[in-house]
Amino acid sequence: MKIGDEMDVVIIGGGAAGMTAASRIKALKKDWNVRVFEETSFVSHAPCGIPYVVEDLIGDASHLMYYKPEVFIKERGIDLHINSKVVEVGDGFVRVSENGKETKYNWDKLLFGTGASPRIPDVDGIDLENVFTADLPPDADEIKKAAMNARNVVVVGAGYIGLEMAEAFAAIGKTVTLIGKYDYPLPRFDKEIGEIIKNEVLKKVDYRAAEMLKAIEGKEKVEKVVTDRGEYKADLVVIATGVKPNVELAEQLGVKLGKSGAIATNTRMETNVENVYAAGDCAECKHMLTKKDVWIPLAPGGNKMGYVAGVNMAGGYIEFPGVLGTQITKFFDLEIAKTGLDEREARESGFNPKSVFIKAKTKVHYYPGAKDTFLKVFADKETNRLLGAQIVGYEMVTMRVNVFATAIQAEFTTKDLFFSDLAYAPPFTPVWDPIIVSARVLKF
């Protein structure tokens, strides 16, 4: 391996993890040659913004790049190759298809930041015109264009992407059918919270619970969606049935995969192959509570994994402590968030959970505009250590879930949470904030 200022670094994937790692390496090792290969024309992109492009809240898909390619090239000195597909990874080299030809590049250190891709159901009609996935930013403009001439939209899958896409179409006046595999949308929430979400969803779209996709039908364009329980007219279909990690290139190099099917890494984001790292939606990491390897493809963790990988690739030493799976979304006015473990996960991980479900107001009773919020909070019966929280409501859900996430990471007990010195003023929160109430009811 080369030493000093002659080091060649190759990063496959120009998403959040890849560009964060590349930027960190160049900040620490200005003389190193850092090449990033990105298959699309988008880098440092935010696919989670696709529904908001479709809803016409933020213009076209170009707004989903945090930084344009020229920022990385001119200001940070990264050798960025867009529209460049890595087709082979070998010991010390990659082969890249770009500009109609294949070129071989050498590497001393390599990072897989290859992300994740939609899981596509194996059904007839999946290739019909106007059947989409919400995967990468360019998809947003295509979906938005097709929606202009669509009246009936079917979204298959009621996870985060499916729910957000259903909202986007309903907001622009489409008739929306949302097909879910489970009894309520966002099935990783417990029933008490799930029923609240379901009731809110049913106000805006036709939610078809516990149905399985069987076929998509039409001559050239999609015309209807067939499930095991019915048929639904469709001028446009979005498939949102989950994602899978992109690991094919890593497997070429003999990189070990974890139980989830994503790339196994240690806390420094190193793989089992020397000088090879992985970060972002293609990689596993530790869960802060269970200490087990997990695959939770979310943007905050992916960015931090890229940062950690970049520091270590540049010769530093930093460990990624892991994730709690903190996440938030919304459906129109209802804000929906969770962090840590749900009840089933807690039991399966060896905890003996206790829980409380409370309904509260977001402000003091006499201040105008107080809204409902609902919390389900978990702690271990023996130790009173906080294990998880699920929150839905109509304001300030982000603040409360972030308090819980911080408390769980800090290994707070219910007593610690109860005595947290949280801010109070009538326009913002009751003196007994719902967070504090949950700790009091759980007992300590």
Side-chain angles (χ1 to χ4, degrees):
M1 187 174 70
K2 298 175 185 177
I3 60 173
D5 58 6
E6 297 182 352
M7 194 71 71
D8 289 320
V9 176
V10 163
I11 295 173
I12 305 175
M19 297 316 301
T20 298
S23 298
R24 191 91 301 257
I25 295 168
K26 286 298 290 186
L28 296 171
K29 298 289 185 180
K30 297 186 185 302
D31 294 330
W32 284 16
N33 182 21
V34 179
R35 290 191 176 97
V36 179
F37 297 102
E38 167 55 39
E39 189 172 346
T40 73
S41 60
F42 282 69
V43 294
S44 185
H45 51 72
C48 51
I50 291 173
Y52 312 115
V53 173
V54 174
E55 194 176 340
D56 205 23
L57 294 176
I58 56 173
D60 61 37
S62 67
H63 292 87
L64 300 183
M65 280 192 287
Y66 283 105
Y67 297 103
K68 305 296 184 184
E70 51 266 26
V71 171
F72 296 103
I73 297 169
K74 295 179 181 179
E75 296 182 17
R76 302 186 184 180
I78 297 168
D79 185 11
L80 174 60
H81 298 238
I82 59 174
N83 299 311
S84 300
K85 182 177 181 179
V86 177
V87 295
E88 182 185 2
V89 179
D91 186 10
F93 75 91
V94 294
R95 195 175 304 278
V96 185
S97 176
E98 50 188 345
N99 301 318
K101 63 179 182 179
E102 290 189 0
T103 306
K104 182 178 178 181
Y105 297 90
N106 296 326
W107 58 263
D108 300 302
K109 297 192 178 189
L110 174 70
L111 171 70
F112 289 103
T114 44
S117 295
R119 291 187 181 275
I120 307 298
D122 184 17
V123 298
D124 291 339
I126 203 74
D127 295 324
L128 286 171
E129 187 177 342
N130 282 1
V131 177
F132 299 95
T133 60
D135 179 23
L136 295 169
D139 297 332
D141 289 335
E142 293 184 19
I143 296 170
K144 185 176 180 179
K145 181 179 179 181
M148 294 176 64
N149 299 312
R151 174 178 295 178
N152 298 297
V153 176
V154 175
V155 178
V156 182
Y160 284 94
I161 296 173
L163 192 67
E164 291 163 358
M165 293 302 299
E167 177 188 349
F169 290 120
I172 58 175
K174 309 303 176 182
T175 299
V176 181
T177 302
L178 176 62
I179 297 174
K181 185 178 179 181
Y182 300 97
D183 290 337
Y184 48 82
L186 304 181
R188 291 189 179 275
F189 285 78
D190 287 335
K191 183 177 177 61
E192 298 94 328
I193 299 293
E195 289 297 329
I196 296 169
I197 299 169
K198 180 179 178 179
N199 290 336
E200 195 75 15
V201 169
L202 285 169
K203 295 177 184 178
K204 300 289 187 178
V205 307
D206 182 16
Y207 178 62
R208 311 303 298 182
E211 295 195 21
M212 296 292 293
L213 177 67
K214 291 299 182 181
I216 301 172
E217 297 182 358
K219 294 181 180 179
E220 293 182 0
K221 290 185 178 181
V222 61
E223 296 175 14
K224 67 179 177 180
V225 169
V226 180
T227 74
D228 58 349
R229 296 174 63 183
E231 298 182 356
Y232 307 98
K233 289 182 180 179
D235 307 307
L236 189 158
V237 173
V238 172
I239 302 296
T241 50
V243 297
K244 58 183 179 179
N246 297 324
V247 298
E248 295 80 8
L249 292 172
E251 289 184 291
Q252 289 183 12
L253 198 59
V255 169
K256 180 182 176 182
L257 304 184
K259 290 182 180 180
S260 69
I263 298 171
T265 65
N266 62 17
T267 56
R268 300 184 70 225
M269 309 316 301
E270 296 171 314
T271 72
N272 63 302
V273 178
E274 187 178 4
N275 294 313
V276 177
Y277 298 72
D281 289 356
C282 65
E284 289 186 342
C285 64
K286 294 292 182 186
H287 194 285
M288 291 183 187
L289 275 167
T290 68
K291 308 305 180 185
K292 295 178 181 178
D293 294 326
V294 292
W295 178 59
I296 303 178
L298 293 170
N303 277 276
K304 293 166 190 169
M305 291 160 74
Y307 184 97
V308 169
V311 170
N312 290 319
M313 292 175 77
Y317 190 98
I318 186 173
E319 294 184 278
F320 183 56
V323 297
L324 289 171
T326 306
Q327 48 205 270
I328 188 166
T329 188
K330 75 177 189 71
F331 187 79
F332 288 90
D333 293 333
L334 185 70
E335 301 171 3
I336 307 162
K338 71 188 293 284
T339 187
L341 305 176
D342 61 34
E343 198 156 4
R344 176 188 57 80
E345 291 169 334
R347 294 189 189 282
E348 291 177 353
S349 299
F351 295 103
N352 185 13
K354 58 181 178 179
S355 66
V356 61
F357 176 74
I358 64 172
K359 176 183 177 181
K361 291 293 185 181
T362 54
K363 299 176 173 62
V364 295
H365 69 280
Y366 58 78
Y367 193 88
K371 298 178 180 179
D372 289 336
T373 193
F374 304 84
L375 291 79
K376 186 172 183 182
V377 184
F378 309 91
D380 184 71
K381 285 183 180 178
E382 281 75 34
T383 64
N384 286 319
R385 182 182 175 185
L386 292 170
L387 299 176
Q390 301 176 15
I391 310 171
V392 294
Y394 299 92
E395 64 178 357
M396 299 189 74
V397 169
T398 302
M399 177 275 284
R400 293 189 170 96
V401 77
N402 282 341
V403 169
F404 277 110
T406 303
I408 294 169
Q409 184 172 349
E411 301 185 4
F412 270 28
T413 64
T414 53
K415 182 178 180 180
D416 296 325
L417 185 64
F418 178 78
F419 285 112
S420 296
D421 190 14
L422 304 184
Y424 157 71
F428 305 110
T429 178
V431 66
W432 288 99
D433 189 274
I435 295 169
I436 305 301
V437 174
S438 71
R440 184 182 68 194
V441 178
L442 275 170
K443 300 180 181 178
F444 46 84

